[in-house]
């Protein structure tokens, strides 16, 4: 809150995983509202580096249509045609991530295929007992 209140055009804000640990819809809406607030500061808008796993902020255009003061970047990677194997290139490129690639990362990290399959079926996201 202090960062939002006291930032100026001479400030650099670094916001990593805003909303982590919150209800996803609360975190998403708080992040979108915070970014919109910063943009509303006009010439006093600070520079900000923001990382998030909330792809919905872009898919649902929660920041609005015309974003002239924002540059979006994502980390580049290579993937096999199946989309299951990923090679991270650690190269920042212009654009927005199309998804979190969480299942591919989980598989590469050695998480059981049974757990990944259950997650893909939506059991966890629908709060169904496993």
């Amino acid at each position: 809150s202090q960062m939002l209140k006291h930032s100026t055009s001479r400030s650099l804000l670094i916001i990593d995983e805003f909303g982590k640990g919150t209800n996803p819809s609360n975190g998403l809406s708080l992040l979108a509202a915070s970014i919109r607030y910063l943009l509303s500061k006009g010439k006093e808008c600070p520079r900000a580096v923001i990382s998030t796993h909330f792809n919905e902020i872009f898919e649902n255009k929660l920041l609005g249509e015309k974003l002239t003061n924002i540059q979006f970047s994502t980390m580049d990677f290579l993937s096999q045609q199946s989309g299951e194997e990923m090679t991270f290139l650690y190269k920042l490129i212009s654009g927005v991530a199309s998804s979190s690639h969480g299942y591919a990362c989980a598989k590469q990290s050695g998480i059981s295929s049974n757990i990944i399959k259950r997650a893909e079926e939506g059991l966890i996201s629908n709060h169904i007992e496993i």
Side-chain angles (χ1 to χ4, degrees):
S1 72
Q2 296 300 312
M3 190 177 350
L4 294 173
K5 288 179 190 174
H6 300 293
S7 62
T8 69
S9 62
R10 297 176 47 96
S11 302
L12 171 63
L13 311 183
I14 300 174
I15 303 171
D16 183 33
E17 292 299 336
F18 184 104
K20 186 173 183 175
T22 66
N23 171 300
S25 63
N26 290 346
L28 175 63
S29 58
L30 285 168
L31 177 59
S34 296
I35 293 171
R36 290 179 75 113
Y37 169 75
L38 292 171
L39 291 171
S40 76
K41 294 178 92 170
K43 291 184 180 186
E44 281 300 303
C45 182
R47 293 193 181 267
V49 176
I50 302 170
S51 70
T52 183
H53 60 279
F54 293 128
N55 292 347
E56 300 88 352
I57 203 167
F58 309 109
E59 293 167 4
N60 299 327
K61 297 183 171 113
L62 298 178
L63 299 178
E65 293 287 331
K66 297 179 183 178
L67 301 171
T68 57
N69 294 337
I70 297 180
Q71 176 183 342
F72 297 106
S73 300
T74 186
M75 295 302 285
D76 200 9
F77 63 92
L78 297 174
S79 71
Q80 301 292 331
Q81 284 186 341
S82 66
E84 294 182 13
E85 287 285 322
M86 295 178 66
T87 303
F88 297 98
L89 301 178
Y90 301 101
K91 179 181 175 187
L92 193 63
I93 60 170
S94 183
V96 174
S98 59
S99 76
S100 71
H101 308 288
Y103 298 131
C105 292
K107 183 175 182 177
Q108 282 184 242
S109 298
I111 292 179
S112 164
S113 60
N114 289 337
I115 293 172
I116 296 169
K117 183 178 178 192
R118 284 184 177 176
E120 287 175 329
E121 291 170 351
L123 295 176
I124 295 171
S125 64
N126 291 324
H127 306 288
I128 297 172
E129 285 291 321
I130 297 179

